[in-house]
């Protein structure tokens, strides 16, 4: 009997080794595919730095980390570059903004309905919703304007580069998104001395 229990414990331990690494940082449900521990730590830190409730994304998102020189998002999947995460050659804020921007696309995909996306397109002045019209610049699409604005509104660090590409002030965006998601608690966020002199 004792031997059988040991075998069961061993099987459970071995099975756990082959399950993708899960994380619950910043409220989000996500798993990693590839990537060093240093790269994964940057993803966790980026999501924890934001005050957005990532758990509003109803799907479990896979972060695929590879030496690809790329960053992108599709429903349920975010692809990020190993070097960009682990070495942060352009600085921590740039790297974290990329992570938050790409996860914001998951918010667009899973936490909003068609009516909310249409309203956001109008308020954020997107030319289309999300790549329906080929040939537009990156920042012409409402989904990209949304992702940049969310990344700034919930992490208004002075070094966050999305402050230059956001489509709306942080507080106005938080009010709008809170109404769309029924999460009024997000409207007023604590202010830090670092944010005091920057437009939100």
């Amino acid at each position: 009997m004792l031997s059988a229990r040991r075998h069961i414990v061993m099987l459970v331990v071995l099975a756990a080794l082959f399950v993708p690494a899960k994380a619950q940082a910043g409220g989000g449900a996500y798993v990693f595919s590839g990537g060093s521990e240093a790269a994964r730590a940057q993803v966790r830190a980026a999501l924890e730095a934001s005050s957005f409730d990532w758990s509003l994304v109803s799907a479990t998102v896979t972060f695929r980390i590879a030496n690809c020189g790329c960053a992108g998002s599709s429903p349920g999947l975010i692809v990020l570059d190993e070097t960009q995460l682990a070495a942060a050659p352009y600085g921590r804020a740039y790297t974290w903004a990329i992570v938050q921007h790409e996860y914001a696309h998951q918010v667009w995909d899973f936490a909003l309905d068609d009516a909310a996306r249409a309203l956001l397109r109008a308020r954020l002045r997107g030319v289309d919703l999300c790549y329906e019209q080929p040939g537009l610049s990156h920042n012409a699409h409402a989904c990209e304007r949304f992702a940049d604005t969310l990344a700034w509104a919930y992490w208004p660090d002075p070094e966050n580069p999305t402050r230059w590409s956001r489509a709306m002030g942080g507080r106005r965006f938080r009010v709008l998104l809170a109404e769309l998601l029924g999460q009024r608690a997000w409207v007023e966020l604590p202010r830090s001395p670092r944010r005091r002199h920057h437009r939100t």
Side-chain angles (χ1 to χ4, degrees):
M1 187 69 170
L2 186 60
S3 178
R5 283 183 184 165
R6 283 184 184 151
H7 282 101
I8 290 169
V9 170
M10 284 291 287
L11 287 172
V12 169
V13 169
L14 286 171
L17 292 174
F18 294 98
V19 173
K22 285 196 173 185
Q24 285 287 342
Y30 53 89
V31 297
F32 290 108
S33 172
S36 65
E37 185 49 44
R40 294 179 178 194
Q42 289 303 308
V43 171
R44 295 186 195 101
L47 297 179
E48 288 171 353
S50 173
S51 60
F52 187 80
D53 182 2
W54 302 108
S55 69
L56 289 165
V57 174
S58 58
T60 297
V61 176
T62 297
F63 278 97
R64 184 177 298 156
I65 302 172
N67 290 309
C68 62
C70 64
S73 178
S74 60
L77 176 67
I78 294 172
V79 180
L80 297 170
D81 180 61
E82 165 72 29
T83 301
Q84 178 62 57
L85 289 168
Y90 304 111
R92 182 204 69 174
Y94 183 87
T95 297
W96 288 9
I98 289 173
V99 174
Q100 293 175 16
H101 172 98
E102 300 302 345
Y103 212 115
H105 281 293
Q106 305 297 317
V107 177
W108 176 270
D109 291 329
F110 292 107
L112 301 170
D113 59 20
D114 288 344
R117 286 188 281 266
L119 186 146
L120 283 162
R121 174 189 173 184
R123 296 284 184 88
L124 300 175
R125 298 178 182 164
V127 177
D128 69 355
L129 281 170
C130 203
Y131 293 92
E132 294 83 14
Q133 296 185 41
L136 295 177
S137 66
H138 178 269
N139 206 39
H141 305 286
C143 62
E144 300 293 355
R145 295 171 74 80
F146 171 84
D148 277 341
T149 307
L150 188 150
W152 166 257
Y154 295 92
W155 186 51
D157 186 285
E159 301 301 315
N160 182 343
T162 59
R163 66 181 298 202
W164 306 114
S165 51
R166 68 185 192 246
M168 180 183 288
R171 187 180 188 284
R172 268 201 318 150
F173 181 80
R174 292 193 302 269
V175 169
L176 174 59
L177 194 56
E179 289 173 356
L180 292 174
L181 298 174
Q183 299 288 324
R184 297 187 184 279
W186 296 346
V187 174
E188 294 297 339
L189 297 177
R191 291 184 174 271
S192 69
R194 297 185 72 191
R195 289 173 51 193
R196 196 164 292 147
H197 303 295
H198 296 279
R199 177 167 62 90
T200 62

